[in-house]
Amino acid sequence: QVQLVESGGGLVQDGGSLRLSCAASGITFSMYTMGWYRQAPGKQRELVAVINSSNSTSYADSVKGRFTISRDNAKNTVYLRMNSLKFEDTAVYYCNAAGEGSISRLKYWGKGIQVTVSS
């Protein structure tokens, strides 16, 4: 059974920092591109950052220079360090695992975790 479990969310003041973690189980973690997405109230889910098996990263323009995605294959965990948080970063953040190569059809989601930035 595949599980992606997010942690580290919560309430933070404008300008503050948080680190999200996503612990994966039931998958061969190193074979997956890992990503963070978010969904604010009334808006569609959007990509925040992704990191592939070669540790190449990509970020949404809105978070470049403020957020950093990283992964620890030994711990089957992906992280999202969020600095200089803004009110508009308030959303539910979701962890995503997308298989690479021959397993590209496999995609999994975590249940999400709330991040609230107070202005």
Side-chain angles (χ1 to χ4, degrees), residues 22-25 27-31 34 53 55 70-79:
C22 171
S25 59
I27 60 172
T28 303
F29 186 78
S30 60
M31 296 179 67
M34 300 301 298
S53 60
N55 283 324
S70 61
R71 67 190 293 161
D72 186 336
N73 288 348
K75 295 183 178 179
N76 287 359
T77 300
V78 61
Y79 304 97

Side-chain angles (χ1 to χ4, degrees), residues 6-7 9-10 18 20-21 35-40 45-49 62-63 66-67 80 82 85-96 109-117:
E6 300 100 338
S7 61
L18 283 174
L20 303 183
S21 300
W36 289 96
Y37 291 72
R38 67 186 182 187
Q39 188 167 17
R45 192 172 298 189
E46 63 176 1
L47 173 70
V48 176
S62 59
V63 306
R66 299 189 298 122
F67 290 11
L80 184 68
M82 305 185 293
L85 282 161
K86 305 175 182 180
F87 176 76
E88 50 265 40
D89 294 319
T90 296
V92 177
Y93 283 70
Y94 296 90
C95 180
N96 173 266
W109 290 95
K111 293 182 178 180
I113 192 163
Q114 179 70 46
V115 171
T116 302
V117 184

